[in-house]
Amino acid sequence: METKRITSKEIISHLVEKFPACFSIEGKVKPLKVGIFQELATELEGDEKVSKTQLRQALRHYTSSWRYLKSIKVGNHRVNLAGEDAELIDQDQADFAAKTLKESQDKFANKKTQDKKENTSYKGTKAGDKGSTVASKAAKVGKAAKVGKAKKMPAKPKVKLTQAEANSLTAGMNVMVQVGNSPLDATITEVAGKDVSVQLTSGMVVKTKADKIFTK
């Protein structure tokens, strides 16, 4: 019998019901301890509502939210499923969370501005407004200028890393994971063949491949 697929929001609601001292939907958010995915997988073993894949996706959704990223502050405690204090958040973790939050907010603001421009351009064209054509050309020129500036930006220096052996990877192991062009500190939460799930210092859970894992 095929299990009915539920959304990440529904899974988070389920987690709030089972672990109210750890998860929340509204109000203040508590940073999650590193490795909490393993604890959840153990606690929810046999729970027909949530598979490991769905749980991983829901955690990624939860820890990527603005309200969660805002909770990652220096000196704040992460918590376990019972809501008890775990490790403290350090400066690197706080800086990464702040950077991730800013990038997400900037991306949202840029999309909102672009959508507004497109709607304005469409309305002008429909009414036969010549000004809309000028605005459209100006927007294209501005976009081209932005692309040109982006190309001129100097590339970040690459960090030389030692690739970890796939058969040596285990849950709880502290490693570096390649995300884009930047290697980030992470802790392995699950190893399934060549697929490896890691939790970044911000608390975000990321699924990657064994060849993207490096030793410090």
Side-chain angles (χ1 to χ4, degrees):
M1 182 176 178
E2 185 178 353
T3 303
K4 181 182 178 182
R5 184 174 180 79
I6 59 177
T7 66
S8 291
K9 288 185 177 181
E10 290 174 324
I11 292 175
I12 292 172
S13 296
H14 183 55
L15 295 178
V16 171
E17 290 179 4
K18 293 186 71 68
F19 311 104
C22 180
F23 294 92
S24 67
I25 295 177
E26 298 179 350
K28 187 177 180 181
V29 183
K30 297 178 181 179
L32 306 178
K33 66 168 289 187
V34 175
I36 202 165
F37 172 80
Q38 287 298 103
E39 292 187 10
L40 281 169
T42 300
E43 289 290 332
L44 297 175
E45 187 174 1
D47 190 329
E48 296 181 355
K49 288 186 178 180
V50 186
S51 69
K52 284 189 176 182
T53 299
Q54 292 172 322
L55 177 60
R56 189 180 294 109
Q57 291 172 343
L59 273 180
R60 188 179 299 118
H61 179 85
Y62 187 80
T63 57
S64 298
S65 68
W66 292 0
R67 56 195 290 269
Y68 181 86
L69 291 172
K70 289 177 181 178
S71 74
I72 308 298
K73 303 291 184 183
V74 175
N76 283 358
H77 280 277
R78 295 182 181 277
V79 299
N80 60 17
L81 294 179
E84 300 167 337
D85 288 347
E87 64 269 25
L88 282 170
I89 294 171
D90 59 27
Q91 189 64 56
D92 288 342
Q93 295 172 0
D95 288 345
F96 180 79
K99 178 183 176 184
T100 303
L101 175 62
K102 185 177 184 305
E103 289 175 348
S104 178
Q105 291 176 330
D106 288 347
K107 183 177 180 181
F108 176 79
N110 290 337
K111 185 179 185 304
K112 191 173 181 180
T113 300
Q114 185 62 30
D115 289 344
K116 185 176 181 180
K117 287 181 178 179
E118 289 177 356
N119 289 337
T120 302
S121 177
Y122 173 76
K123 290 178 181 178
T125 303
K126 187 175 181 180
D129 184 4
K130 293 182 180 180
S132 64
T133 302
V134 176
S136 178
K137 289 182 178 179
K140 290 181 179 179
V141 172
K143 185 176 181 181
K146 289 181 180 180
V147 173
K149 290 181 180 179
K151 290 182 178 178
K152 293 180 181 179
M153 291 178 65
K156 294 182 180 179
K158 293 184 178 179
V159 179
K160 188 175 182 181
L161 300 172
T162 302
Q163 187 171 342
E165 296 182 6
N167 57 8
S168 69
L169 301 178
T170 57
M173 183 176 178
N174 293 323
V175 295
M176 298 286 286
V177 58
Q178 193 75 25
V179 178
N181 294 324
S182 303
L184 303 175
D185 288 311
T187 300
I188 295 176
T189 59
E190 184 182 15
V191 179
K194 294 184 179 180
D195 294 326
V196 182
S197 294
V198 300
Q199 186 167 28
L200 304 180
T201 53
S202 68
M204 186 182 301
V205 178
V206 177
K207 185 175 182 180
T208 185
K209 296 292 183 182
D211 59 3
K212 299 295 183 181
I213 302 297
F214 301 86
T215 55
K216 296 183 179 180

